[in-house]
Amino acid sequence: MPVVADRFNIQRVYTDYRDLAADPEMRLAYHRTNSLHCEMAVALARAGKHVICEKPLASRWTKPI
């Protein structure tokens, strides 16, 4: 990840979404993980971040968040 960050001049890199959620200067999060997708999206939204989700929050329409 540091190589990509250096190449595109990305100032901050997070390996834990909770660190991003706690950063008051970050306003937007884009993520596309599978295993923690819903957990991450909800935590980031609760932290007041704008969240762009590439995948649905649930595997079925009837599954609650």
Side-chain angles (χ1 to χ4, degrees), residues 2-35:
V3 173
V4 173
D6 289 342
R7 180 176 177 195
F8 293 101
N9 196 28
I10 297 171
Q11 302 291 317
R12 296 182 181 140
V13 176
Y14 300 92
T15 58
D16 188 318
Y17 71 92
R18 291 168 286 223
D19 294 333
L20 184 147
D23 186 338
E25 293 187 23
M26 295 303 293
R27 300 183 325 175
L28 180 127
Y30 169 85
H31 74 94
R32 56 181 300 247
T33 61
N34 287 321
S35 61

